[in-house]
Amino acid sequence: MCADKPVAFVIMPFAKEFLSGFSDIIKPAAERAGLACLRADEEALGHIHTDLFERIFDSPVVIADISGDNPNVFYELGVVHSLASKTITIAREDFLSKVPFDIAPYRVLVYPRSPSELADEKEKAMYGAAVEKVIQQLSSELLRVIQNGEVIPNPIQDFIKGRSPLTSIETQYIDKLSANFEEELLRQTKNKVIHVGLTGAHFTTILTGYLESGERNSPLFVQYLLLDPANTKGWEFVYLLREGKNAEETELSDFIEENRFTIEKTTKVIKRLQDRYPLFTAEVSYYSGVPLFWAYVMDENRVIVGHLALNRISSLNLPVYVFVREDQKTSAMFAYYTSTINSLMVK
């Protein structure tokens, strides 16, 4: 095995009857794709689970041979499915009918039995051509994962993606928000939400509709962090984002005045909502400097952050991250955004 090559990690039964699948198909396909190929039993293992999990986690692609209904293989397959969408599943042809219903809807690459297991002479004669076809298919799939970052669907990752990003236990990257995102955010918030924005107008419209629906029967505190109307440099930057050019003095003055009026209107609406709904309280603060992102913080456990857009509705078409406090993989990013937002609240 070449140390400088990426590794295709193979999970498979170690029984002698399945070794031809590895030697005749899996290994040649990996080598054709420029990969080193490694089975768990080929390493001198320390703590078997630790080393196994490290290989599964670190390898850019995993090949899972599910022939033989081996419980260890299915356990390892479940582990890699829970971590990523990088598993190419294969099975010997005589086990295809035994693929469990959980993964049956997903692609399984089929390879032929070895000549020693075939009684039909015609099948034996065709073995070489059949193997070459599978090697080419597997090699092509490996290259798509390694070179193009192709995502291979699996039931666990599909389930995670199908869940609301506001309830997922893992950090998520979302191409764009759903149209009812803010409504769902307010429903899922237990006590407190921080909104970092420009004028707060769009969110306040959503908030008004939510409170008027009578759906909320527990206290809700909203902390607004809006761009200071006196922050000329900040609004100059926002104008540049919106118009794609620097503002003339008169244009900038009118632009700031227009947004100052919107912020005043927002604060008046918030005041009326507090008077009308005893369970709702809010506070409006202002921050200075150049606004680089908009954000929501839910109960100090989840940060939703996205690209800045002057009109919050247009942000629905921009990429968004949802950082979750419990997700250790992104704890540094969660800490960065929460500390940045906290610093904005310092008057």
Side-chain angles (χ1 to χ4, degrees):
M1 182 178 70
C2 298
D4 59 342
K5 289 183 179 181
V7 173
F9 188 60
V10 181
I11 54 179
M12 62 175 293
F14 301 142
K16 188 175 292 185
E17 64 177 299
F18 299 110
L19 293 183
S20 62
F22 178 80
S23 60
D24 293 356
I25 295 166
I26 298 174
K27 191 171 183 179
E31 291 174 348
R32 189 174 297 184
L35 304 173
C37 194
L38 180 67
R39 294 198 319 255
D41 64 327
E42 293 183 318
E43 287 191 306
L45 294 172
H47 190 289
I48 186 168
H49 284 153
T50 300
D51 289 349
L52 174 70
F53 296 157
E54 284 182 354
R55 278 298 181 187
I56 288 175
F57 189 85
D58 293 336
S59 298
V61 63
V62 174
I63 302 171
D65 187 345
I66 59 174
S67 307
D69 301 328
N70 186 289
N72 288 333
V73 171
F74 281 104
Y75 171 76
E76 293 157 12
L77 180 63
V79 171
V80 70
H81 276 180
S82 69
L83 292 174
S85 301
K86 61 179 184 181
T87 311
I88 298 173
T89 306
I90 68 172
R92 205 171 68 184
E93 58 186 357
D94 51 326
F95 284 95
L96 186 60
S97 62
K98 300 178 182 179
V99 173
F101 74 92
D102 304 81
I103 59 175
Y106 296 85
R107 175 172 166 75
V108 177
L109 194 152
V110 181
Y111 66 89
R113 290 174 291 169
S114 66
S116 62
E117 299 167 21
L118 298 173
D120 190 293
E121 293 300 322
K122 184 177 180 180
E123 287 183 331
K124 289 183 180 181
M126 296 176 61
Y127 179 75
V131 164
E132 173 57 30
K133 181 179 179 180
V134 178
I135 290 174
Q136 183 57 45
Q137 289 176 322
L138 180 55
S139 176
S140 296
E141 292 197 19
L142 288 167
L143 285 171
R144 285 198 294 270
V145 174
I146 297 296
Q147 295 181 352
N148 304 328
E150 181 172 305
V151 172
I152 303 175
N154 71 59
I156 296 178
Q157 294 299 319
D158 285 352
F159 168 75
I160 291 173
K161 291 176 183 177
R163 295 193 71 191
S164 167
L166 301 178
T167 59
S168 171
I169 61 174
E170 292 188 342
T171 289
Q172 292 195 31
Y173 173 84
I174 307 170
D175 291 336
K176 61 181 181 179
L177 295 178
S178 62
N180 64 342
F181 176 78
E182 277 93 348
E183 292 95 325
E184 180 66 16
L185 180 144
L186 289 167
R187 291 189 189 97
Q188 295 295 337
T189 297
K190 295 179 180 178
N191 306 111
K192 177 183 178 181
V193 59
I194 300 172
H195 170 50
V196 182
L198 298 177
T199 67
H202 173 73
F203 179 60
T204 302
T205 299
I206 301 298
L207 175 64
T208 300
Y210 174 67
L211 294 175
E212 288 179 346
S213 71
E215 183 177 343
R216 188 84 187 187
N217 56 14
S218 61
L220 173 66
F221 173 65
V222 177
Q223 170 74 62
Y224 283 84
L225 285 170
L226 307 179
L227 186 59
D228 192 341
N231 178 17
T232 303
K233 287 294 183 182
W235 287 107
E236 188 175 14
F237 177 75
V238 174
Y239 184 93
L240 176 61
L241 283 180
R242 191 185 78 165
E243 302 295 335
K245 65 176 184 178
N246 292 317
E248 299 292 337
E249 185 175 344
T250 303
E251 292 174 329
L252 181 60
S253 178
D254 291 344
F255 180 66
I256 293 175
E257 180 61 23
E258 174 187 336
N259 283 283
R260 182 192 63 77
F261 176 78
T262 301
I263 291 173
E264 287 182 355
K265 183 178 179 181
T266 297
T267 56
K268 289 178 181 178
V269 172
I270 293 170
K271 177 67 167 59
R272 288 200 297 269
L273 291 175
Q274 290 188 90
D275 292 340
R276 186 173 178 182
Y277 301 100
L279 293 175
F280 170 69
T281 54
E283 180 180 321
V284 179
S285 301
Y286 301 106
Y287 65 92
S288 297
V290 173
L292 299 178
F293 60 83
W294 59 264
Y296 292 105
V297 182
M298 293 174 57
D299 298 312
E300 300 182 348
N301 291 316
R302 193 176 303 263
V303 178
I304 300 97
V305 60
H307 293 258
L308 181 65
L310 182 63
N311 185 331
R312 278 290 296 112
I313 296 176
S314 65
S315 293
L316 298 177
N317 297 316
L318 295 173
V320 172
Y321 276 100
V322 182
F323 294 105
V324 181
R325 178 189 289 274
E326 290 80 7
D327 191 341
Q328 295 301 310
K329 299 189 298 295
T330 54
S331 57
M333 295 303 295
F334 179 89
Y336 167 77
Y337 279 107
T338 53
S339 63
T340 300
I341 291 168
N342 288 334
S343 70
L344 293 177
M345 289 191 282
V346 178
K347 296 181 180 179

